[in-house]
Amino acid sequence: MRESVAVVHDLVSRFAPADELGAEHRASALAWLASTDDVFRRVKPASPPQHLVSYVVPVAADGRILLVDHINAGLWLPPGGHVEVDEDPALTARREIQEELGLGDAGLSRSPTFLTITHTVGQDHGHTDVSLWYVLACTGDEELRPDAGEFNAVRWWTRAELAAADPGRFDPHLFRFLAVLDRDVMFDELNRRTGLERLRAGSDRFGPVAAVLFTPNGHLSVRAGCGGGYEVMILDDRGDPVAAGRTVDLDEIAGTMLDLHQEHSAADLAERHTYLAVSDPDVAIEALWHIITEHGEGSTVPIARAAAANPVLRRVWPWISHGTLNLYDRRDRPSLVKRGLAFHPAVGGFRVRPYGDGEIPAAEPAETAIARAAKIAASWDD
């Protein structure tokens, strides 16, 4: 493998995918990098037809995002450009923000934080970009010298403005990136406040998380809350939710993590941190359905919401594994499930398979899959 390609392969191999699509893009990029050294654009506009790109997302101290109205792409995009032959992608990032915006690289992240594979359709020939996304920390007051030949306009966007805009006017993965950015910022801050080695970002059994702390007695997950603040859930070593709550105070969450690390019980944690409440089974199940339907991965959210709307399925424990919605009887334990079923995505809908059933069922539309799953779950009471 060419040395410059090996550098990129190493970068990509160290990515922790934030969601199922991220895992697919990482696997595809690694396979591509292992199969060829022809990964840099050699000839404009698109030779080879798949090549590396470095994006740089300037982020202001108040959370605003700088985007450019790209003439060729016809979209609002992060600044950036194609990686030259044998160029380190980090050098590409530095070069592009200087050439395109006149910005320095003092706040540039040392490594990319996000990876995407996108087929582009601009004024030039369509091609596939394998993009490495870097973050540039800014004040938001920097003087900009945009390249008029590249951009119609350049502007800072607030999160509210982005949320209200037509998503079709942006890179198709921008909003996934912003979710990862928010989780990374929260993780970095919690890591600074706690210094706990077991703390990490990524996902738990119910979907993406900003930070998760594993201990011998269980784990604590933190998510950005619906409507602001942070949602915290504590699960015991069997995987059962034992306490949950919402707070806007990261110091409070950091304190909860430190106490959990010291092996305080759920009752102790709820007494010491009043935003938490000990969960009975009914409350716990409702909390898990909320996480999966409101904070889950895109591919599982529609079927999870349909299942949650069914009164029979709403009473059982939900969890996610490899893009599959799983349900099991509340009398079972996650480590020993006797009564459970899974919705396996398939062409034409889903295959509803009860645990322990070796038969591979036919795929069926979501509506009938939900009805059959409810019939199976109702039989667990017999």
Side-chain angles (χ1 to χ4, degrees):
M1 181 183 290
R2 192 171 182 156
E3 183 177 355
S4 56
V5 178
V7 169
V8 180
H9 189 280
D10 180 60
L11 278 176
V12 174
S13 68
R14 287 188 268 122
F15 271 100
D19 53 25
E20 187 176 6
L21 181 58
E24 292 176 6
H25 283 188
R26 177 181 180 273
S28 179
L30 287 173
W32 171 61
L33 292 164
S35 68
T36 181
D37 285 337
D38 196 16
V39 301
F40 306 99
R41 190 179 73 168
R42 292 179 284 99
V43 181
K44 294 182 179 182
S47 295
Q50 178 162 305
H51 46 254
L52 289 166
V53 166
S54 286
Y55 265 161
V56 184
V57 186
V59 181
D62 60 5
R64 289 175 297 151
I65 304 296
L66 183 70
L67 298 175
V68 299
D69 185 4
H70 201 282
I71 293 174
N72 185 41
L75 298 172
W76 285 95
L77 303 174
H82 301 93
V83 181
E84 301 294 343
V85 175
D86 290 334
E87 185 176 37
D88 187 302
L91 294 178
T92 308
R94 295 188 184 100
R95 174 173 54 78
E96 291 289 344
I97 57 173
Q98 172 60 42
E99 293 176 356
E100 294 185 348
L101 295 172
L103 290 173
D105 62 358
L108 187 68
S109 59
R110 297 178 61 183
S111 299
T113 61
F114 197 57
L115 167 76
T116 57
I117 299 179
T118 309
H119 184 71
T120 68
V121 285
Q123 294 177 11
D124 62 15
H125 297 77
H127 61 276
T128 300
D129 286 338
V130 178
S131 303
L132 301 169
W133 298 54
Y134 292 81
V135 175
L136 179 68
C138 298
T139 65
D141 298 321
E142 287 83 357
E143 178 185 358
L144 302 175
R145 298 191 298 276
D147 183 346
E150 291 262 6
F151 315 132
N152 290 313
V154 175
R155 61 167 286 194
W156 290 97
W157 292 76
T158 67
R159 296 304 184 86
E161 289 169 337
L162 287 170
D166 176 5
R169 289 283 287 119
F170 302 93
D171 182 285
H173 303 291
L174 176 67
F175 294 93
R176 291 179 55 239
F177 166 79
L178 293 178
V180 171
L181 178 66
D182 290 342
R183 293 201 295 269
D184 287 349
V185 169
M186 192 190 305
F187 170 77
D188 289 342
E189 184 60 21
L190 285 169
N191 189 49
R192 184 184 70 80
R193 299 187 191 199
T194 64
L196 294 172
E197 293 183 358
R198 290 196 183 100
L199 185 66
R200 65 174 180 81
S203 61
D204 62 10
R205 294 190 304 126
F206 309 103
V209 296
V212 58
L213 173 65
F214 288 98
T215 74
N217 296 323
H219 77 270
L220 179 154
S221 296
V222 185
R223 292 172 168 85
C226 299
Y230 314 104
E231 296 182 10
V232 177
M233 176 169 286
I234 301 172
L235 296 96
D236 64 19
D237 58 351
R238 299 177 301 183
D240 290 338
V242 291
R246 180 194 293 257
T247 179
V248 297
D249 190 346
L250 280 178
D251 277 333
E252 189 73 69
I253 297 174
T256 307
M257 290 179 163
L258 290 168
D259 285 343
L260 180 65
H261 185 66
Q262 294 297 320
E263 301 185 6
H264 285 272
S265 68
D268 286 343
L269 291 172
E271 184 175 345
R272 295 165 72 95
H273 305 279
T274 56
Y275 75 93
L276 288 172
V278 176
S279 303
D280 65 35
D282 289 333
V283 172
I285 286 175
E286 284 299 312
L288 293 183
W289 277 116
H290 169 76
I291 287 173
I292 290 173
T293 57
E294 299 301 326
H295 299 286
E297 297 174 350
S299 60
T300 60
V301 169
I303 189 66
R305 288 179 175 170
N310 182 284
V312 174
L313 300 183
R314 185 79 180 198
R315 299 198 304 267
V316 302
W317 295 95
W319 63 291
I320 303 295
S321 177
H322 298 93
T324 299
L325 172 65
N326 292 261
L327 306 176
Y328 66 89
D329 190 276
R330 62 195 302 167
R331 292 166 292 184
D332 292 341
R333 299 271 67 83
S335 59
L336 185 61
V337 177
K338 297 179 181 178
R339 293 155 292 210
L341 60 88
F343 289 87
H344 295 280
V347 176
F350 297 87
R351 302 180 189 275
V352 179
R353 185 181 65 82
Y355 287 12
D357 189 342
E359 181 180 352
I360 300 177
E364 53 191 317
E367 183 178 353
T368 56
I370 292 293
R372 194 153 69 84
K375 184 176 181 180
I376 294 169
S379 72
W380 296 338
D381 293 329
D382 296 341

